[in-house]
C-alpha cells in the first residue's frame, strides 16, 4: 500500500477528517469494530457497517461499496451519488459524504 493514500470523509455539517488507507479492505461505519469509526454525532444515519473500501491494482485504485440504506455523495460538490448496495471506482483524493 502507498503510505500517502488516504480518504477524506466529510459529514453533512462540514466536519471533515482524513484517514490513511493502510489495509486492503477498510470498513467504515458506526460500529466500534470498523476501521474508520463514524460516530452518530457526525451525521444521523451512519450504519454500523456503512461502507467498505477495497484496494485494487496494489492500492492504486479503490472500489467503494455502499453497505448502508442511504446514498453516498461523491465528489467535492456531492454531484454524484452511490446508491445503497452499489459499487463505484474511486481514486486517491476522492471525497465522499
Amino acid at each position: 500500500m502507498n503510505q500517502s493514500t488516504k480518504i477524506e470523509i466529510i459529514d453533512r455539517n462540514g466536519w471533515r477528517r482524513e484517514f490513511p488507507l493502510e489495509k486492503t479492505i477498510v470498513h467504515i461505519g458506526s460500529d466500534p469494530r470498523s476501521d474508520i469509526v463514524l460516530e452518530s454525532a457526525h451525521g444521523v444515519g451512519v450504519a454500523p457497517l456503512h461502507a467498505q473500501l477495497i484496494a485494487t491494482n496494489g492500492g492504486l485504485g479503490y472500489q467503494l461499496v455502499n453497505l448502508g440504506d442511504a446514498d453516498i455523495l461523491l465528489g467535492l460538490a456531492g454531484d454524484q451519488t452511490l446508491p445503497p448496495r452499489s459499487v463505484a471506482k474511486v481514486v486517491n483524493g476522492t471525497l465522499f459524504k
Side-chain angles (χ1 to χ4, degrees):
M1 289 269 137
N2 180 343
Q3 297 221 337
S4 66
T5 303
K6 57 191 169 196
I7 188 91
E8 182 176 30
I9 300 176
I10 304 169
D11 75 7
R12 55 189 82 154
N13 297 319
W15 173 90
R16 60 187 340 153
R17 184 165 172 201
E18 289 184 353
F19 295 90
L21 298 177
E22 299 169 334
K23 297 170 60 178
T24 303
I25 299 175
V26 177
H27 294 96
I28 302 167
S30 60
D31 187 306
R33 295 172 292 178
S34 296
D35 299 304
I36 297 175
V37 179
L38 301 176
E39 299 173 8
S40 60
H42 298 297
V44 176
V46 176
L49 196 53
H50 196 78
Q52 184 179 60
L53 283 168
I54 303 170
T56 59
N57 300 325
L60 297 176
Y62 288 85
Q63 296 288 326
L64 174 63
V65 182
N66 183 351
L67 301 173
D69 293 328
D71 288 349
I72 292 176
L73 302 178
L74 300 171
L76 184 60
D79 53 348
Q80 300 171 357
T81 60
L82 180 61
R85 287 164 279 301
S86 296
V87 177
K89 183 177 181 178
V90 294
V91 295
N92 188 20
T94 297
L95 298 177
F96 69 90
K97 300 178 184 183

